[in-house]
Amino acid sequence: MNDVQINSSAKFIIIGQGLAGSILAYFLLQEGQEVQIIDTPEFPSSSKVAAGLYNPVTGRKLVKTWLADKLFPFLEYFYAQLEKELNAKFFHPQAIYRPFVNEDSQKYFKSDHVPDDFSDFGTLTFDNVKYQNIVNSQLGGVTTKHSGWVDLKVMLSAFRSYFLEKGILKEENFSLKNEYENQKVIFCEGFEGRNNPHFNYLPFNPVKGEILDIEIENIELKEIINQGAFVVPLGENKFRLGATYSWHDLDFTPTEQGKNDLIEKYQKLMKPSMRILAHNAGVRPATKDRRPLIGLHPEIKNIGIFNGLGSKGVSLAPYFAKQFVDFLVYQKELQSEVNINRFASLYLGVDKV
Ligand SMILES: Cc1cc2nc3c(=O)[nH]c(=O)nc-3n(C[C@H](O)[C@H](O)[C@H](O)COP(=O)(O)OP(=O)(O)OC[C@H]3O[C@@H](n4cnc5c(N)ncnc54)[C@H](O)[C@@H]3O)c2cc1C
């Protein structure tokens, strides 16, 4: 690893300019803090592969996701404002049409078991008239509100220019040295975080994902379609099809198996034929308890971590980056479900570095 020249006046050193590091650095700057970001562009980045979807409902019964009432208003405001600040277009609020999986699912949504506040985040149809030439299911489905996608490649590239312009981004590899004692080093390394000797005691559970860019001709589709797989309209007959989940072979190499799984999912969901344009793979920095990993090291109080965003980085990162900055700058409390303190007992059991 190279030695990195650190700006000695910077109070915060952020390692990694993915989704996590970029948004954390941005909120620190908003609070008037001096920040230095170090990123190795050659390292794989999950953010550059992700579809970037955000969606407030989950599961067969489409219940609200964890903290949806807080996360979604926050993210909608945040990304819309950020587009203006970075002068780039990457935020795409878009409805998601989720066809019912089977008749039982349709029956559930016809019943009065559906929660009273369902109409806040979804509308129902019980026929397939609108999508009859597009989607295989004839049962109707749910169209979500407060959903969409963020073009993370565009956003990260705009962030990169913004940080370079401020002279606070160095594109190098980083190794921790003792001379950073007066600064706080926050690791936002994504999947690489599980190899960080200071934080490798944390229960990461990385998940490989593969994704295809496809072309579908002669199709009028404004909504994202999602059931088993998702199909995101990108414009000009181009779509993104994803994603697979695998806990093996954790690397960024696309596989034949991944491609075939996606083709099969597509054929089950969609009627029109498609052509593959590109195939990518990445590793989601997921955790065993499916909650982010945020906080300061149990013993070395000038190093911290902002990681574990799993498959929901787009919805989790803004809200929790802001919360972490309030903790770092104003000593406000970190929510216990995300604070790495919850794994203190695991730290006591490892060989210290
Ligand atoms: C196929 C796929 C589909 C996905 N779809 C979605 C989706 O639809 N919606 C959603 O919300 N999420 C999705 N995700 C998950 C999303 O990608 C992650 O939640 C998020 O991008 C993680 O961001 P991160 O900044 O933590 O990590 P990363 O994006 O991996 O960034 C880490 C950065 O740290 C740098 N780095 C690491 N170590 C060092 C070091 N020692 N020195 C310097 N730099 C270093 C790397 O170069 C990289 O730039 C998907 C992921 C995959 C793989």
Side-chain angles (χ1 to χ4, degrees):
M1 284 191 182
N2 299 330
D3 281 359
V4 177
Q5 285 281 309
I6 297 291
N7 168 5
S8 57
S9 71
K11 188 160 173 213
F12 291 96
I13 300 164
I14 307 288
I15 312 304
Q17 196 243 306
L19 175 66
S22 298
I23 297 183
L24 187 67
Y26 177 77
F27 278 123
L28 284 166
L29 291 169
Q30 296 286 93
E31 295 303 327
Q33 301 298 311
E34 290 241 27
V35 176
Q36 168 90 69
I37 305 164
I38 296 160
D39 183 75
T40 316
E42 310 83 60
F43 279 7
S45 156
S46 169
S47 309
K48 289 182 186 153
V49 176
L53 297 184
Y54 61 94
N55 172 14
V57 289
T58 185
R60 295 206 160 186
K61 294 189 173 167
L62 299 181
V63 290
K64 274 194 246 182
T65 58
W66 180 61
L67 286 184
D69 290 334
K70 288 192 168 139
L71 300 184
F72 285 78
F74 194 90
L75 79 84
E76 284 175 333
Y77 180 77
F78 171 76
Y79 290 115
Q81 288 301 113
L82 188 66
E83 275 193 332
K84 290 183 198 151
E85 174 97 29
L86 300 184
N87 196 20
K89 177 78 195 139
F90 46 78
F91 182 46
H92 303 278
Q94 213 160 11
I96 304 180
Y97 177 62
R98 304 188 53 147
F100 297 126
V101 197
N102 52 33
E103 282 176 4
D104 283 350
S105 168
Q106 191 200 48
K107 222 184 271 172
Y108 169 81
F109 282 97
K110 278 183 169 168
S111 74
D112 51 14
H113 297 304
V114 179
D116 289 343
D117 63 353
F118 184 79
S119 59
D120 293 350
F121 52 86
T123 54
L124 294 164
T125 50
F126 295 106
D127 63 52
N128 194 34
V129 174
K130 187 169 175 193
Y131 301 99
Q132 58 186 340
N133 297 324
I134 298 176
V135 172
N136 279 321
S137 162
Q138 299 303 313
L139 299 169
V142 172
T143 303
T144 62
K145 301 173 184 172
H146 304 292
S147 53
W149 67 287
V150 174
D151 191 329
L152 292 178
K153 261 195 193 165
V154 172
M155 188 184 90
L156 290 186
S157 159
F159 257 136
R160 179 174 176 269
S161 307
Y162 176 81
F163 295 138
L164 284 173
E165 213 166 277
K166 289 186 179 301
I168 60 167
L169 171 63
K170 278 192 189 296
E171 297 190 318
E172 295 178 52
N173 204 341
F174 178 79
S175 63
L176 190 62
K177 299 269 163 37
N178 294 333
E179 70 250 35
Y180 308 129
E181 271 163 17
N182 296 325
Q183 297 162 311
K184 278 212 161 48
V185 180
I186 311 291
F187 290 96
C188 308
E189 301 163 292
F191 161 67
E192 291 285 332
R194 70 175 188 161
N195 299 320
N196 183 320
H198 298 287
F199 291 107
N200 59 4
Y201 70 94
L202 292 170
F204 282 92
N205 187 22
V207 189
K208 181 168 179 173
E210 299 191 38
I211 202 160
L212 298 175
D213 284 354
I214 58 173
E215 184 177 57
I216 312 174
E217 282 181 355
N218 306 321
I219 178 176
E220 267 290 321
L221 180 60
K222 291 204 167 60
E223 295 81 14
I224 297 165
I225 306 290
N226 177 204
Q227 186 51 258
F230 56 76
V231 177
V232 185
L234 305 176
E236 296 174 351
N237 292 343
K238 296 201 174 55
F239 297 81
R240 193 150 289 147
L241 165 66
T244 61
Y245 288 79
S246 161
W247 286 261
H248 310 289
D249 303 322
L250 298 171
D251 57 36
F252 280 62
T253 311
T255 66
E256 208 50 29
Q257 164 91 52
K259 184 169 83 180
N260 292 336
D261 285 355
L262 288 169
I263 294 172
E264 200 178 304
K265 282 170 192 267
Y266 178 85
Q267 287 168 343
K268 211 169 153 199
L269 180 64
M270 301 283 286
K271 284 187 174 166
S273 57
M274 59 91 166
R275 189 167 75 86
I276 297 174
L277 302 174
H279 182 189
N280 290 297
V283 184
R284 303 171 182 91
T287 60
K288 292 238 160 85
D289 68 355
R290 294 163 168 236
R291 296 288 177 257
L293 298 170
I294 306 176
L296 296 179
H297 189 273
E299 277 184 337
I300 314 167
K301 291 297 176 193
N302 73 323
I303 68 170
I305 186 166
F306 185 54
N307 204 324
L309 299 178
S311 57
K312 296 203 162 88
V314 166
S315 35
L316 294 168
Y319 182 83
F320 283 110
K322 174 75 174 80
Q323 194 177 104
F324 195 23
V325 168
D326 285 345
F327 167 87
L328 292 167
V329 178
Y330 302 113
Q331 294 78 49
K332 288 196 185 163
E333 228 171 281
L334 259 184
Q335 204 159 319
S336 57
E337 292 114 302
V338 303
N339 193 328
I340 56 167
N341 278 350
R342 70 194 189 278
F343 298 118
S345 61
L346 298 180
Y347 179 71
L348 299 173
V350 297
D351 292 334
K352 308 296 180 291
V353 288

